[in-house]
């Protein structure tokens, strides 16, 4: 974190020292950098969702554009891609049964967006599509491409809707704030059920609705010591874990009888 | 106070789980059942994924049946030989159940199958028990002596070959129905996360004519091993046993069970059975409603490539 703020300060001084550069016909190209205060987030026993702060800076911003607020930043925290099955319930003899299903490959488990302004105010829908930026523009690749486009479309919509309903896909308008002309802070939401794994933070810079640059960083989300050990043991030594679970139950049953015995 | 469950991967309230365990423990102590048939649906209502609710429910059942079986062993009301034969069948049934479980989970029909099994079994057992206990209550109220079933009469089960003698139960019966019953209970244990006491007890009494005093101890004895086996296999094949969740439920459960047992002594047999029947029916109806009422979300997501 300190490294980035020093960097940002340096960039700021540079910009102030050379005001002429901004007016020259060929100014240095604008850029964007982000830094995470930590490269790993631990989920502890008390975890119930969190806000993650990402700091970043603009390189060589045009002071005039910055003053008019025509720079926009969108920060995305994207979870690891995983295959997902979307199922639809239909009525069979009065009972609701999972009938139709569609499998999608490489669906980001989570997708949190933070923006300076509402998405539709920043740029055209087309540029979002080209950048595949925003939950509604993510391309969900069906495992079986021979299914009818209407079906695929229906399940894609349902997939996004379910992800948003469980808080895994979220949008935080106004979650990116400029602290100075080139320093900004983005707050993205981590849902209580945020998946563990390698997450990718990406920042997109727009000037007057035009996409300029992109920068990314990685973030590891993992369970903290104790929870992680349990999860590890359950997967790596599953038989011993089972034996432990059974012994724990027997000991608890026996102790419970000793302590609370009423006969 | 929230706690993050390492296997279920969600954050839950500790006190809700302790209270859930204690309430089910109280009822199970009162009625002499393991309580798995209550714990698993309750966990599902509390948004625990069904696969984890089933495997963890089986784990929780071990604790309550172990503590119950200990007291029956002390009183000598446990037929080890009968329990052993039931168990042999149970292991086979449980293994089959685990495969069906994994298969249905891949198909996406696991939740439906669990719900349907619960509705059918709880509905049938609860209904039969209610009719029987209400009749008994009426009989005692009208002052007539309770009509005993002709216990000496043998049914078709007693004509099967491969007979075996079970001394503690004063029984001479074919091993086929005993193994079959064990296998059926084992199958249910692995798919529903129940011990199966609520089916085992009436089956031993009415089908095999085992003396009532030996039934509960023997059923608890076999349930310990069937659910221990189920827990082990779920842990190794599906990794769906959450010890943190199981422990919270057990801790509440063993405490509740002892108070429940005391409360149960104040009620008469028929009253107890009528109450248990109502409870079982209530769970069945609650689950049935979920099957028929339009769900708020028609679409559901599951991670592909599981198992």
């Amino acid at each position: 974190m300190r490294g980035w703020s020093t960097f940002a300060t340096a960039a700021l001084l540079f910009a102030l020292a050379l005001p002429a550069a901004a007016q020259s016909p060929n100014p240095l190209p604008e850029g964007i950098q982000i830094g995470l205060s930590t490269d790993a987030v631990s989920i502890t026993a008390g975890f119930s969702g969190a806000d993650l702060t990402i700091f970043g800076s603009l390189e060589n911003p045009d002071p005039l554009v910055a003053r008019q607020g025509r720079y926009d930043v969108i920060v995305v925290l994207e979870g690891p891609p995983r295959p997902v099955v979307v199922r639809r319930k239909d009525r069979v003899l009065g009972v609701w049964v999972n009938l139709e299903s569609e499998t999608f490959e490489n669906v980001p488990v989570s997708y949190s967006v933070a923006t300076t302004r509402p998405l539709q105010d920043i740029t055209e829908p087309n540029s979002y599509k080209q950048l595949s930026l925003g939950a509604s523009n993510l391309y969900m690749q069906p495992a079986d491409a021979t299914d009818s486009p209407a079906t695929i479309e229906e399940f894609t919509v349902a997939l996004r809707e379910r992800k948003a309903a469980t808080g895994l896909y979220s949008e935080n308008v106004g979650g990116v704030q400029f602290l100075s002309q080139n320093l900004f802070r983005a707050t993205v939401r981590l849902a209580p059920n945020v998946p563990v794994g390698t997450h990718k933070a990406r920042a997109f810079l727009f000037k007057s609705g035009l996409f300029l640059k992109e920068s990314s960083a990685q973030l590891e989300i993992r369970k903290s010591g104790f929870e992680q050990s349990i999860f590890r043991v359950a997967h790596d030594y599953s038989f011993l874990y089972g034996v432990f679970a059974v012994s724990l139950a027997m000991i608890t049953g026996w102790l419970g009888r000793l302590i609370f015995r009423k006969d | 106070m929230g706690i993050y469950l390492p296997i279920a991967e969600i954050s839950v309230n500790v006190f809700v789980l302790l209270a859930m365990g204690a309430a089910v423990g109280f009822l199970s102590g009162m009625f002499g059942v393991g309580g798995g048939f209550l714990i698993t649906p309750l966990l599902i209502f509390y948004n625990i994924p069904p696969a984890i609710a089933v495997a963890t429910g089986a784990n929780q059942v071990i604790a309550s049946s172990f503590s119950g079986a200990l007291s029956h062993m002390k009183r000598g009301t446990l037929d080890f030989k009968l329990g052993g034969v039931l168990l042999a069948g149970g292991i086979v049934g449980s293994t089959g159940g685990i495969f069906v479980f994994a298969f249905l989970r891949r198909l996406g029909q696991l939740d439906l199958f669990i719900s349907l099994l619960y509705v059918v079994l709880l509905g049938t057992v609860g209904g039969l028990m209610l009719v029987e206990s209400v009749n008994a209550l009426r009989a005692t109220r009208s002052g007539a002596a309770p009509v005993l079933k002709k216990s000496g009469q043998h049914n078709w089960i007693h004509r099967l070959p491969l007979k075996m003698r079970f001394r503690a139960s004063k029984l001479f019966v074919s091993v086929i129905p005993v193994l079959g019953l064990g296998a059926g209970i084992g199958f249910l244990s692995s798919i529903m996360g129940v011990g199966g006491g609520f089916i085992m007890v009436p089956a031993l009494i009415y089908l095999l004519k085992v003396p009532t005093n030996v039934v509960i101890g023997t059923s608890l004895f076999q349930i310990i091993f069937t659910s221990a086996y189920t827990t082990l296999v779920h842990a190794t094949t599906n990794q769906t046993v959450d010890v943190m969740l199981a422990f919270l439920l057990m801790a509440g459960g063993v405490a509740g069970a002892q108070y429940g047992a005391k409360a149960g002594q104040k009620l008469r047999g028929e009253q107890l059975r009528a109450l248990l029947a109502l409870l079982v029916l209530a769970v069945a109806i609650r689950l049935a409603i979920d099957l028929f009422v339009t769900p708020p979300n028609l679409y559901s997501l599951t991670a592909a490539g599981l198992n």
Side-chain angles (χ1 to χ4, degrees), chain A residues 1 38 81 86-87 92 107 123 139 153 178 182 184 231 243:
Chain A
M1 182 43 232
T38 168
V86 186
R87 294 197 166 88
V92 178
V107 177
T123 185
Y139 174 63
E153 175 62 21
F178 278 99
N182 29 13
F184 65 87
F231 184 83
V243 172

Side-chain angles (χ1 to χ4, degrees), chain A residues 45 47 83 85-87 89 91 94-96 98 154 158 162 223 234 238-239 241-243 245 249-250 253 257 260 262, chain B residues 3-4 6 9 11 59 63 66-67 71 106 108-109 235-236 239 241 243 258 291-293 297-300 302 304:
Chain A
F47 183 80
V85 188
V86 186
R87 294 197 166 88
K89 281 198 165 72
R91 234 184 186 140
V95 176
W96 289 94
N98 281 331
E154 178 199 338
R162 288 281 77 211
K223 293 170 193 174
S238 49
F239 181 73
Y241 176 85
V243 172
M250 290 195 172
R257 216 179 102 69
F260 298 102
K262 292 273 174 263
Chain B
I3 190 164
Y4 184 82
E9 299 190 317
S11 195
N59 192 8
F66 189 71
S67 120
S71 21
R106 263 201 310 277
Q109 303 300 354
T236 42
Q239 280 99 33
V241 178
V243 277
Q258 307 295 328
L291 284 179
F292 291 103
V293 167
N297 301 300
L298 289 181
Y299 298 92
S300 63
T302 26

Side-chain angles (χ1 to χ4, degrees), chain B residues 185-203:
Chain B
I185 303 278
F187 182 80
L188 296 179
S189 170
S190 52
I191 290 192
M192 299 167 72
V194 296
F198 69 101
I199 299 166
M200 177 78 93
V201 170

Side-chain angles (χ1 to χ4, degrees), chain A residues 2-124:
Chain A
R2 170 174 292 171
W4 288 115
S5 48
T6 330
F7 172 80
T9 319
L12 186 68
L13 290 174
F14 179 71
L16 288 174
L18 291 167
Q23 266 100 51
S24 72
N26 283 319
L28 287 167
E30 286 110 327
I32 186 167
Q33 288 294 339
I34 50 169
L36 300 172
S37 52
T38 168
D39 55 5
V41 171
S42 292
I43 296 179
T44 58
F47 183 80
S48 57
D51 279 339
L52 179 78
T53 306
I54 298 171
F55 284 95
S57 67
L58 306 190
E59 292 164 343
N60 318 313
D62 184 333
L64 185 67
V65 179
R67 227 174 292 129
Q68 291 170 341
R70 284 193 279 129
Y71 281 122
D72 278 301
V73 172
I74 299 177
V75 174
V76 175
L77 187 72
E78 193 179 319
R82 282 186 201 155
V84 167
V85 188
V86 186
R87 294 197 166 88
R88 190 183 67 205
K89 281 198 165 72
D90 288 290
R91 234 184 186 140
V92 178
L93 303 172
V95 176
W96 289 94
V97 182
N98 281 331
L99 272 190
E100 301 273 329
S101 73
E102 190 67 59
T103 307
F104 293 93
E105 315 270 16
N106 303 324
V107 177
V109 184
S110 61
Y111 195 86
S112 315
V113 181
T115 61
T116 43
R117 290 190 291 159
L119 278 174
Q120 69 268 21
D121 296 350
I122 295 177
T123 185
E124 299 294 306

